[in-house]
Amino acid sequence: MKLNIKKKLIAASLAGMTAFGAGAYASHADAAKADRECIAQVALLQSLAQGYFGGTITAGELRTMGDTGIGTFEGLNGEMIVLDGKVYQAFGDGRVAVCPDNTIIPFANVTFFDKDIAVKLNNIKDKAALEAALNAAVQEHGVNSFYMVKLPAEFSSILFRSEYGSHEPYPTLVDALKEKQTEFTEKNIKGTLVGLYCPNYMGELNSVGWHFHFISEDKKKGGHILELSLKDGTAYLDQTDKFTVMLHDEKKFHELNLAKDMRADIRSAEQDTKGKLAK
């Protein structure tokens, strides 16, 4: 397992973890040279939970780090789905658009996707059943690896959310969602689930377990998945054993207390409908 820190505009060595400048991501031509066996993360979910919705990394730079993934945008302005090399933005009204390369990214996870493992799915009644099926594959192949998942399917039902953007001074993630979260239910809709699995030791850097986003086949609807069901399909997993995090070079980011326990807020933001968000 290789853990790297990539810190924008700062070159340093942190306890044996390598730091690189932003120039490493200056050109999309670099994508061809990129390590396909690496999960690249922008900032921390804990910084997002505390209300750091700014950033110094662009969508264009993100595309040099991976062609598949999830995240959000400056101001928490909607949900991100990265699929086939395009960065899609699902807005608070449910619309989806390809975002410009100069869009600022406060948090994301991406990789260059390879179909390492196929998981056949049948009669998936809810999100918990999907996670159980995927977890069986994780148990078989290695619980301490990272996994990106793609599931193209027709979903019998799916509940997903997005949110309208906030303005500075930013609230916490949960407070922003309480005010701005919007939810959508679709029946018999074709599309692709994109998600990330983080192992148990990642609790202070991200959310442990699975995190799913969705985009419809026509690329018109999408967001963060709260619930789902499907009759059948095949989920493809990309097993990855390297992890890189790129931190923001901004004063506000470095003023955060990233040791603060944000687990309750993160759990609520990941799972709860608007009426159940943490008090």
Side-chain angles (χ1 to χ4, degrees):
M1 180 80 58
K2 181 181 180 182
L3 296 176
N4 283 341
I5 296 288
K6 291 189 177 181
K7 191 166 185 178
K8 214 176 181 192
L9 302 180
I10 294 178
S13 179
L14 302 176
M17 298 180 181
T18 306
F20 299 93
Y25 299 119
S27 168
H28 293 301
D30 293 338
K33 305 174 186 177
D35 187 346
R36 298 190 64 87
E37 298 304 324
C38 183
I39 295 289
Q41 178 168 299
V42 175
L44 311 178
L45 190 53
Q46 286 72 2
S47 59
L48 193 74
Q50 291 186 39
Y52 182 80
F53 301 162
T56 53
I57 296 168
T58 66
E61 289 175 307
L62 186 70
R63 292 198 300 114
T64 70
M65 295 185 245
D67 59 15
T68 304
I70 56 178
T72 189
F73 301 91
E74 185 176 25
L76 200 72
N77 187 21
E79 300 285 342
M80 177 192 296
I81 308 96
V82 184
L83 185 64
D84 299 328
K86 294 182 179 179
V87 180
Y88 294 96
Q89 185 169 5
F91 294 97
D93 61 3
R95 292 181 301 113
V96 170
V98 177
C99 79
D101 273 349
N102 64 355
T103 305
I104 299 297
I105 308 298
F107 177 77
N109 288 98
V110 294
T111 192
F112 289 99
F113 194 88
D114 297 308
K115 293 181 179 179
D116 294 331
I117 302 160
V119 180
K120 296 290 186 181
L121 303 170
N122 291 286
N123 297 318
I124 300 297
K125 302 298 184 183
D126 53 25
K127 185 159 72 77
L130 173 62
E131 291 182 357
L134 297 179
N135 284 340
V138 169
Q139 287 288 333
E140 178 183 353
H141 293 276
V143 297
N144 289 325
S145 292
F146 297 84
Y147 296 84
M148 194 70 77
V149 60
K150 285 203 295 190
L151 169 56
E154 180 173 349
F155 294 85
S156 303
S157 66
I158 189 165
L159 170 64
F160 55 91
R161 71 113 193 276
S162 193
E163 55 280 331
Y164 291 95
S166 297
H167 300 284
E168 294 187 278
Y170 293 128
T172 66
L173 176 59
V174 166
D175 285 343
L177 292 175
K178 283 180 183 178
E179 181 181 355
K180 305 283 190 177
Q181 178 165 313
T182 52
E183 296 169 8
F184 308 89
T185 299
E186 297 287 341
K187 302 289 186 182
N188 302 317
I189 184 171
K190 292 181 179 180
T192 300
L193 173 153
V194 176
L196 174 70
Y197 170 88
C198 286
N200 287 335
Y201 55 81
M202 284 289 292
E204 294 184 359
L205 299 178
N206 203 310
S207 178
V208 170
W210 292 100
H211 182 160
F212 303 127
H213 287 192
F214 169 78
I215 188 166
S216 61
E217 186 175 68
D218 61 10
K219 307 299 188 292
K220 292 182 178 180
K221 300 175 181 179
H224 170 100
I225 295 176
L226 296 171
E227 193 52 271
L228 57 76
S229 65
L230 66 147
K231 293 180 180 178
D232 54 63
T234 301
Y236 298 99
L237 303 183
D238 183 350
Q239 182 177 7
T240 303
D241 287 330
K242 283 183 273 187
F243 175 80
T244 296
V245 58
M246 193 173 192
L247 304 180
H248 294 295
D249 181 31
E250 186 180 64
K251 183 179 179 181
K252 289 181 181 179
F253 180 84
H254 292 282
E255 289 174 345
L256 296 171
N257 174 16
L258 294 175
K260 185 177 180 181
D261 187 350
M262 301 300 296
R263 286 176 294 180
D265 277 21
I266 289 171
R267 184 218 59 80
S268 182
E270 289 288 312
Q271 301 179 19
D272 288 346
T273 56
K274 190 169 185 178
K276 294 181 179 180
L277 283 163
K279 306 297 183 184

